[in-house]
Amino acid sequence: MIIGRVMSFVGAEYGLINHNKITKIFVGADILEILTQAGGAALLAGAQGNIDRMKKARDLLLAGLSLQVVTFGIFIFVAIVYDWRSSRAEALRPHQAEMKNMRKL
């Protein structure tokens, strides 16, 4: 949520994703991933020794975790690209000192 606010403060034109949509996209993806993992955990809890059901539950849990890692990687990529573009923008040169302090966020 903070990156969307930073983008709207510094300049949305440097981002790959619209600053109004970035929070919705990544929070929505997180909710989907958590629900996927919860579904796998529920299947595992109800497996009652059924090996086939346990394998499906494991696969569902791993799919949720894998999606979360991929989404996090995409988020990091989007954040790095935004930082790279905004730090090299000519229009923001007078504000370089302020931007260095914002990077610590």
Side-chain angles (χ1 to χ4, degrees):
M1 290 181 6
I2 289 180
I3 193 164
R5 292 175 192 239
V6 170
M7 288 173 74
S8 65
F9 178 73
V10 175
E13 63 271 12
Y14 307 113
L16 292 175
I17 301 173
N18 186 339
H19 74 282
N20 292 324
K21 294 180 183 176
I22 193 165
T23 301
K24 294 173 189 172
I25 291 170
F26 287 109
V27 169
D30 276 346
I31 290 170
L32 176 69
E33 293 147 3
I34 289 170
L35 290 175
T36 304
Q37 293 172 37
L43 279 176
L44 188 59
Q48 298 177 352
N50 185 340
I51 299 297
D52 188 44
R53 207 177 231 186
M54 291 170 107
K55 287 181 181 179
K56 286 180 183 178
R58 181 197 62 197
D59 291 344
L60 194 56
L61 276 166
L62 289 175
L65 290 170
S66 299
L67 283 171
Q68 198 156 28
V69 169
V70 168
T71 302
F72 184 68
I74 292 169
F75 177 79
I76 293 297
F77 177 75
V78 168
I80 289 171
V81 167
Y82 180 78
D83 181 54
W84 185 76
R85 286 180 177 180
S86 65
S87 66
R88 284 157 182 74
E90 288 296 322
L92 299 175
R93 292 274 183 225
H95 306 288
Q96 265 328 75
E98 293 173 41
M99 288 178 64
K100 283 185 181 179
N101 290 333
M102 289 181 71
R103 279 190 184 166
K104 295 176 184 175
L105 292 175

